Amino acid sequence: MKNSDGFGNRSRGRQEALAFTVLEVLIVVIVLGVLAAIVVPKFVGAASGAQEAAIRANIRSLNTQADVQFRMHRAHSAAEAEWLTTVPKLLATVKGDMYSDWTVNDGSLVAPTGMVFLLTAESASKPARLDEQAEGEVSEEETAEPTPTPEPEEEEDELTDEELQSLSSEELLAANLTPEQMAKLTPEQLAELSALELSRFTEEQLQALTAEQIAALSLSQFSAVAAMLTPEQISQARPQQIAALSDDVYSSLSDEQRAAVTEEQLAEREIADAVRQLPYSQIRNLDPSQVPYLTAEQIAAIPSSYEMSRIPEEVRAAFTEEQLQALNTANVSIGYLTEEQRDYLTADQYAAIGRYTDIRYVPPSRVPELSTDLIASIPSSYEMSRYSEEIRAAMTAEQIQAINTDNVSISYLTEAQRLQLTEAQYEAIDRYTDIRYVPPSRVPELSTDLIASIPSSYEMSRYSDEVRAAFSTEQLQAINTEAVSIGYLTEAQRELLTADQYASIARYTDICYTPVDRVGDLSTAVIASIPSDYEMSRSSAEIRAAFTAEQVQALNTEVVSIGYITEAQRELLTADQYASITRYTDIRYTPVDRVGDLSTAVISSIPSNYEMSRFSEEIRAAFTEEQVQAINTSNVSLSYLTTAQTEQLTTSQIESIKSYTEMRYLPPSRIAEVTTETISQMTSTYEISRIPTENMQALTQAQVLAIPDSVYDSIKSRLTAEQLSWRP
């Protein structure tokens, strides 16, 4: 009984445990319905989710290849356009056909699902990550309810520490670094980033920065990211970094961040607060380390270069970029800044510079930002010369056209810049030294006053042939020919000179450049100034033949041979000009009827029989008695004189005869005047025989006794009985 009863009880209990109540069944149905409502749609979207995951995995793979391609292009300084043309080629080379139905549209990569991925390189210097969604564009998958199906993870090629630490600032921003990678960046890499660029990192990335990296940030960098740092990082900041935070930035810190500020940081901030209350006149008393605490308003309040000069150099050198960009450059010279600081100034600050003396401190790359009013205020060539060649060469066309060429030489400009000057600027040039820098095509724009101011042939010689050849008729007729040689002009240009200009020529050297038909315009003064036969010979025969009677009569025949003028012109010479002839060689050019005008001095200078023989018989026969008596008979034979002229000789001339052979040209009446010394030189019976018998019989007793014994016997037959008696 006991066993039977016990068994029955256990069987009934099991049946009750396996049964469901209606309520329980309803609960199960509801739960299943809910699960179905949730799970079924997920399974329906599983395919698209998997597709998206595959797309993103493929994008990561493609991105790796794109980075390699971009580095290759960057090594060759490829521009963005060249980068973008590479993408379709890259897609075509990927294994398989997974990208065959993808398209490149307006700098973006479009997947078959409609997802859009950026391809555009930022500033054409780095590629955007291909797995970044285009800004403002949301794919259909992103609007769908997320699937719990995890994306398959694709292993990416990790950058080595060396590669990571070699990334440039542009590459850092595009690299999508992990927090672990951020912590490995060098302080130098972070320093290359601007405050704005640093602030573009995510909070997660920034909060991975180490204490060393935080401390290495500049004050502006720290200020830009302070609100995104952890309290611990705030406590690791340098006191100066906390102190330099503006009130706005400091107040934006969270309670936890401010609570992390250390006593040392707070103490430094109190110092900074005191600095921010100082007037500009007290800036000079600051320690350079305190300068970064100054506000932009304090720097902007510096009223003059004088006040700036009172600030010690080491204090000025500590001004930050933000402070520098508050400086009033209209009142304060940028010469008090370092070269690096001048690069921090804004375009507006350069445009505001009001002192031409500051131009020499402007970085060449910033010169185009200077105002044309400033360029126009350059007062002199000296000031222009104080600017470096690089600065002057950086001036824009608009700036060049603002230069006051009345005061500033165009020699300080490049050839290309001179071509940019306006016609009015060329007209305003008043330095003749600038003419040599004028492009030939612009020469006609120069004023006639400028051309007239050319002071010398030397200055004219400094201009190129092309510049001189470009002178207009009006300019040519403004040349001061009294000071400037016409030899620097072309033949055609010389024809354009006025009669007054030829009359003004003061250089005899210019006579040879005078057109034949303009010779008559030359002054008698310039003709009279011809100093030598050489200068006379430089003028062509046609030019000399064109001399007028008045010009011929202005010749200085004392220094210039009359052999350079025509026979007709020689007839025009005055008696005084013939009397002034000093060259015996000119006697042969003297018209017979003008021989009498020659001076006895020129006759007496005849040095030899050869020279006497070069004069025509008519010229010699025209010698006057006075001229005959000036002949040096010791050098010139009596044979060139007429019988009448030998009668006119003086006793001294006859006594000067050195050769007894000359006795045959003397009249018998003058034989007695021959010296016994000359008689004693008789040696040749042939020469003695040529002496007329009447001349021999006119010898005096002393002359007969002087006849050498060696020839006496040969001439005894030609002597008179009385002469023979003198010498038994």
Side-chain angles (χ1 to χ4, degrees):
M1 289 290 295
K2 183 176 181 179
N3 290 339
S4 176
D5 291 341
F7 176 80
N9 292 336
R10 285 195 296 269
S11 178
R12 187 170 54 252
R14 183 179 299 170
Q15 290 173 351
E16 291 174 355
L18 292 175
F20 289 97
T21 66
V22 174
L23 180 59
E24 288 174 333
V25 172
L26 289 174
I27 291 173
V28 170
V29 171
I30 293 171
V31 169
L32 290 175
V34 171
L35 289 175
I38 295 173
V39 174
V40 171
K42 297 301 180 182
F43 281 114
V44 172
S48 62
Q51 185 180 19
E52 179 183 344
I55 288 175
R56 294 191 180 277
N58 291 339
I59 283 293
R60 283 194 292 274
S61 174
L62 183 58
N63 188 73
T64 300
Q65 299 176 60
D67 282 345
V68 173
Q69 290 292 325
F70 178 76
R71 289 191 182 97
M72 294 173 60
H73 279 280
R74 185 179 57 198
H76 298 87
S77 302
E80 180 176 1
E82 185 179 352
W83 156 249
L84 291 176
T85 61
T86 304
V87 175
K89 298 176 184 177
L90 180 62
L91 292 175
T93 60
V94 176
K95 286 183 179 180
D97 298 325
M98 66 171 63
Y99 302 116
S100 61
D101 52 354
W102 288 41
T103 59
V104 176
N105 182 25
D106 193 22
S108 298
L109 186 62
V110 183
T113 61
M115 292 179 67
V116 178
F117 301 91
L118 293 180
L119 292 177
T120 305
E122 184 173 311
S123 302
S125 62
K126 65 178 187 300
R129 300 293 292 182
L130 296 181
D131 53 358
E132 291 180 356
Q133 189 66 37
E135 184 178 353
E137 295 184 0
V138 181
S139 68
E140 294 178 3
E141 285 74 13
E142 290 176 320
T143 61
E145 188 174 349
T147 175
T149 304
E151 294 184 3
E153 293 189 3
E154 185 84 14
E155 289 189 5
E156 294 187 15
D157 292 336
E158 290 290 338
L159 293 172
T160 66
D161 289 354
E162 183 178 353
E163 291 175 333
L164 177 67
Q165 293 174 354
S166 67
L167 295 179
S168 66
S169 57
E170 293 84 358
E171 292 168 331
L172 286 177
L173 293 171
N176 195 22
L177 301 178
T178 66
E180 292 76 14
Q181 290 174 319
M182 287 291 292
K184 294 179 181 180
L185 298 178
T186 66
E188 290 75 20
Q189 284 177 292
L190 294 175
E192 291 180 359
L193 297 169
S194 68
L196 179 61
E197 289 173 331
L198 187 64
S199 67
R200 290 178 180 169
F201 285 106
T202 67
E203 189 172 292
E204 182 183 12
Q205 289 174 314
L206 291 172
Q207 290 181 355
L209 296 178
T210 66
E212 181 185 6
Q213 290 172 319
I214 292 294
L217 296 179
S218 69
L219 299 184
S220 60
Q221 285 178 315
F222 182 81
S223 178
V225 300
M228 292 187 281
L229 300 178
T230 67
E232 182 183 4
Q233 288 173 313
I234 291 292
S235 68
Q236 294 167 344
R238 288 180 287 114
Q240 292 81 3
Q241 290 173 314
I242 298 297
L245 294 177
S246 68
D247 290 340
D248 289 342
V249 173
Y250 188 76
S251 63
S252 70
L253 297 179
S254 67
D255 292 340
E256 292 79 6
Q257 288 174 313
R258 284 199 298 272
V261 174
T262 67
E263 294 278 342
E264 185 181 4
Q265 291 171 333
L266 286 173
E268 188 67 23
R269 187 161 179 80
E270 288 181 7
I271 295 174
D273 287 339
V275 169
R276 286 190 273 265
Q277 302 305 315
L278 294 176
Y280 69 81
S281 58
Q282 296 301 312
I283 294 176
R284 64 179 179 273
N285 298 321
L286 293 177
D287 184 89
S289 63
Q290 298 170 331
V291 169
Y293 304 150
L294 292 168
T295 65
E297 290 73 20
Q298 286 172 295
I299 301 298
I302 301 173
S304 65
S305 293
Y306 169 71
E307 290 297 337
M308 188 71 161
S309 71
R310 298 180 71 193
I311 300 173
E313 185 176 348
E314 58 272 18
V315 173
R316 297 194 304 261
F319 287 161
T320 67
E321 180 176 351
E322 183 180 3
Q323 291 169 337
L324 289 167
Q325 292 177 354
L327 193 66
N328 184 350
T329 54
N331 298 332
V332 178
S333 171
I334 66 172
Y336 293 106
L337 306 180
T338 65
E339 290 187 11
E340 183 180 5
Q341 287 176 319
R342 293 170 199 153
D343 264 329
Y344 292 145
L345 297 176
T346 66
D348 287 342
Q349 284 177 298
Y350 276 110
I353 291 176
R355 290 172 170 79
Y356 58 81
T357 51
D358 270 9
I359 296 176
R360 66 180 183 273
Y361 303 119
V362 178
S365 62
R366 308 301 298 275
V367 168
E369 297 168 14
L370 299 176
S371 70
T372 54
D373 287 343
L374 179 64
I375 302 298
S377 71
I378 302 172
S380 66
S381 294
Y382 169 72
E383 289 299 335
M384 191 71 159
S385 71
R386 298 179 73 190
Y387 314 147
S388 70
E389 288 186 17
E390 293 76 15
I391 287 176
R392 298 193 301 259
M395 291 181 181
T396 65
E398 186 178 11
Q399 290 171 330
I400 292 296
Q401 292 172 358
I403 292 174
N404 184 350
T405 55
D406 190 21
N407 297 331
V408 178
S409 171
I410 66 172
S411 64
Y412 295 105
L413 306 180
T414 65
E415 290 186 11
Q417 288 174 322
R418 293 171 199 153
L419 285 171
Q420 295 170 342
L421 294 171
T422 66
E423 183 175 348
Q425 284 176 299
Y426 276 111
E427 288 178 356
I429 292 175
D430 68 349
R431 288 173 171 78
Y432 57 80
T433 51
D434 271 7
I435 296 176
R436 66 180 183 272
Y437 303 113
V438 178
S441 63
R442 307 301 297 275
V443 168
E445 297 168 22
L446 299 174
S447 70
T448 54
D449 287 343
L450 178 65
I451 302 299
S453 72
I454 302 172
S456 65
S457 294
Y458 169 72
E459 289 299 335
M460 191 71 155
S461 71
R462 299 179 74 189
Y463 314 148
S464 69
D465 290 343
E466 293 76 17
V467 167
R468 296 193 300 261
F471 287 157
S472 66
T473 300
E474 187 177 10
Q475 289 170 330
L476 288 168
Q477 294 177 350
I479 293 174
N480 181 357
T481 54
E482 184 177 0
V484 178
S485 171
I486 66 172
Y488 294 105
L489 306 180
T490 66
E491 290 186 11
Q493 287 176 319
R494 293 170 200 154
E495 290 284 1
L496 298 172
L497 297 176
T498 66
D500 287 342
Q501 284 177 297
Y502 276 110
S504 295
I505 289 175
R507 287 172 169 77
Y508 56 80
T509 51
D510 273 6
I511 296 174
C512 63
Y513 302 117
T514 304
V516 173
D517 60 340
R518 306 303 298 277
V519 170
D521 294 329
L522 297 173
S523 69
T524 54
V526 73
I527 301 297
S529 71
I530 301 173
S532 65
D533 287 344
Y534 169 72
E535 291 300 336
M536 188 71 162
S537 69
R538 294 183 66 201
S539 298
S540 68
E542 292 77 15
I543 288 176
R544 298 192 302 261
F547 287 164
T548 64
E550 187 178 10
Q551 290 170 332
V552 167
Q553 293 173 357
L555 281 172
N556 183 352
T557 54
E558 186 176 357
V559 293
V560 178
S561 172
I562 65 172
Y564 292 106
I565 56 179
T566 65
E567 290 186 10
Q569 287 173 320
R570 293 169 198 155
E571 290 285 358
L572 299 172
L573 294 172
T574 65
D576 287 341
Q577 285 176 297
Y578 277 111
S580 295
I581 290 175
T582 59
R583 289 173 171 78
Y584 59 82
T585 52
D586 271 7
I587 296 175
R588 68 180 183 272
Y589 302 118
T590 304
V592 174
D593 60 339
R594 307 303 299 277
V595 171
D597 294 330
L598 297 173
S599 69
T600 54
V602 73
I603 300 298
S604 66
S605 70
I606 302 171
S608 65
N609 288 334
Y610 170 72
E611 290 299 336
M612 192 69 160
S613 70
R614 297 180 71 192
F615 312 148
S616 68
E617 287 186 18
E618 293 78 12
I619 287 176
R620 297 194 301 262
F623 287 164
T624 64
E625 181 177 353
E626 186 179 13
Q627 290 170 331
V628 168
Q629 293 175 352
I631 293 173
N632 184 348
T633 54
S634 64
N635 296 330
V636 178
S637 173
L638 304 182
S639 64
Y640 295 107
L641 302 179
T642 64
T643 301
Q645 287 173 324
T646 56
E647 289 283 1
Q648 296 169 346
L649 294 171
T650 66
T651 298
S652 295
Q653 285 177 296
I654 294 175
E655 290 176 346
S656 295
I657 293 173
K658 294 181 179 180
S659 175
Y660 66 89
T661 59
E662 291 294 290
M663 292 173 58
R664 69 178 182 270
Y665 304 118
L666 287 173
S669 61
R670 307 301 300 274
I671 290 296
E673 298 172 31
V674 178
T675 65
T676 55
E677 183 181 0
T678 299
I679 298 296
S680 67
Q681 294 176 1
M682 289 182 176
T683 56
S684 170
T685 56
Y686 170 74
E687 290 297 334
I688 295 173
S689 68
R690 297 180 68 192
I691 299 173
T693 298
E694 57 265 33
N695 285 8
M696 292 295 295
Q697 292 177 351
L699 293 171
T700 65
Q701 183 178 6
Q703 290 172 326
V704 170
L705 294 175
I707 296 173
D709 292 340
S710 58
V711 296
Y712 179 74
D713 289 341
S714 65
I715 62 173
K716 288 194 298 184
S717 61
R718 300 179 63 198
L719 299 178
T720 64
E722 182 181 11
Q723 288 173 317
L724 291 173
S725 67
W726 296 334
R727 186 170 176 170

